[in-house]
C-alpha cells in the first residue's frame, strides 16, 4: 500500500527535521572517519560550528587545523590510540572557526571495530563555549571572594562577650 510508504517517508522527514533542529539548539553535530580511506564526513551542525560551507570536503588534516595549536598534540594522541587500540576519547579543546571565532569544543570519539580492527571512528562534536565561559566566570568570582575574605581584618570575638 502506497499510503503506508508515504506515511513512513513523512515520519522519516519529521524525525530528520527534529534531529537537525535539536542539534542546532544544543550546538552538537556528528562526524565519521573511515579508516581505510581516511575520508571524513560531517553533519550539517558540525559544518555550522566550523563556520564553513556545506560543500567543503573535510580532510583529517584540515579538521585538525581548526583546533588550537597547543591542543593538537593531545587530540593527535587520542586519535592515534583510537585508531590503533580502539580506545574511545572525550576531550574539551580550544577551537578557532573558519572566520576566526574562538570556541571551546567537546569532541567525543567511539571507535567502530570489525573483526578486531578499527574500521571507523564515530564522533560527536559540540560547541561548549557558553558553559566553559560560565565555569571560568564562577572560578574568577570564587577567587575574588576568597581574596576579599583573606584581606578582611580578623574579628576579635573574645571582646564581645
Amino acid at each position: 500500500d502506497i499510503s503506508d510508504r508515504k506515511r513512513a517517508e513523512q515520519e522519516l522527514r519529521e524525525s530528520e527535521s527534529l534531529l537537525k533542529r535539536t542539534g542546532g539548539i544544543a550546538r552538537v553535530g556528528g562526524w565519521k572517519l573511515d579508516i581505510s580511506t581516511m575520508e571524513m564526513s560531517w553533519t550539517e551542525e558540525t559544518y555550522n560550528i566550523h563556520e564553513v560551507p556545506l560543500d567543503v570536503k573535510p580532510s583529517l588534516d584540515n579538521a585538525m587545523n581548526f583546533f588550537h595549536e597547543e591542543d593538537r598534540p593531545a587530540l593527535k594522541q587520542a586519535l592515534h590510540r583510537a585508531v590503533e587500540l580502539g580506545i574511545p576519547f572525550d576531550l574539551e579543546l580550544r577551537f578557532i572557526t573558519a572566520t576566526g571565532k574562538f570556541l571551546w569544543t567537546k569532541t567525543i570519539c567511539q571507535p567502530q571495530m570489525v573483526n578486531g580492527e578499527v574500521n571507523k571512528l564515530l564522533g560527536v562534536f559540540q560547541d561548549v563555549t557558553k558553559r566553559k565561559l560560565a565555569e571560568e566566570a564562577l572560578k574568577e568570582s570564587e577567587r575574588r571572594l576568597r581574596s576579599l575574605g583573606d584581606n578582611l581584618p580578623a574579628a576579635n570575638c573574645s571582646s564581645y562577650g
Side-chain angles (χ1 to χ4, degrees), residues 24-36:
I25 292 167
R27 300 272 296 155
V28 63
W31 59 272
K32 175 178 72 171
L33 177 64
D34 184 313
I35 301 304
S36 64

Side-chain angles (χ1 to χ4, degrees), residues 148-161:
L148 181 63
D150 290 346
N151 291 322
L152 285 176
N156 186 348
C157 295
S158 61
S159 64
Y160 295 107

Side-chain angles (χ1 to χ4, degrees), residues 27-134:
R27 300 272 296 155
V28 63
W31 59 272
K32 175 178 72 171
L33 177 64
D34 184 313
I35 301 304
S36 64
T37 64
M38 295 308 283
E39 191 172 300
M40 289 203 78
S41 302
W42 290 350
T43 64
E44 186 173 336
E45 190 57 28
T46 300
Y47 278 95
N48 292 340
I49 295 168
H50 281 76
E51 297 185 329
V52 297
L54 295 175
D55 62 348
V56 169
K57 187 69 178 153
S59 70
L60 181 58
D61 287 338
N62 205 358
M64 293 291 292
N65 288 333
F66 283 95
F67 290 92
H68 191 281
E69 184 178 334
E70 293 174 9
D71 292 347
R72 285 183 212 153
L75 180 56
K76 285 180 183 180
Q77 181 183 22
L79 284 166
H80 177 77
R81 290 170 46 126
V83 171
E84 297 299 320
L85 305 171
I87 298 172
F89 62 83
D90 183 339
L91 301 171
E92 290 189 357
L93 304 167
R94 294 169 290 178
F95 188 86
I96 311 296
T97 69
T99 65
K101 189 185 305 177
F102 174 84
L103 303 176
W104 276 96
T105 59
K106 183 174 188 74
T107 303
I108 301 172
C109 171
Q110 183 64 53
Q112 179 179 299
M113 309 280 281
V114 172
N115 299 324
E117 292 189 19
V118 176
N119 72 334
K120 286 185 177 80
L121 300 181
L122 305 173
V124 174
F125 184 72
Q126 184 174 24
D127 175 357
V128 295
T129 306
K130 287 181 182 178
R131 180 182 56 80
K132 289 295 278 190
L133 292 177

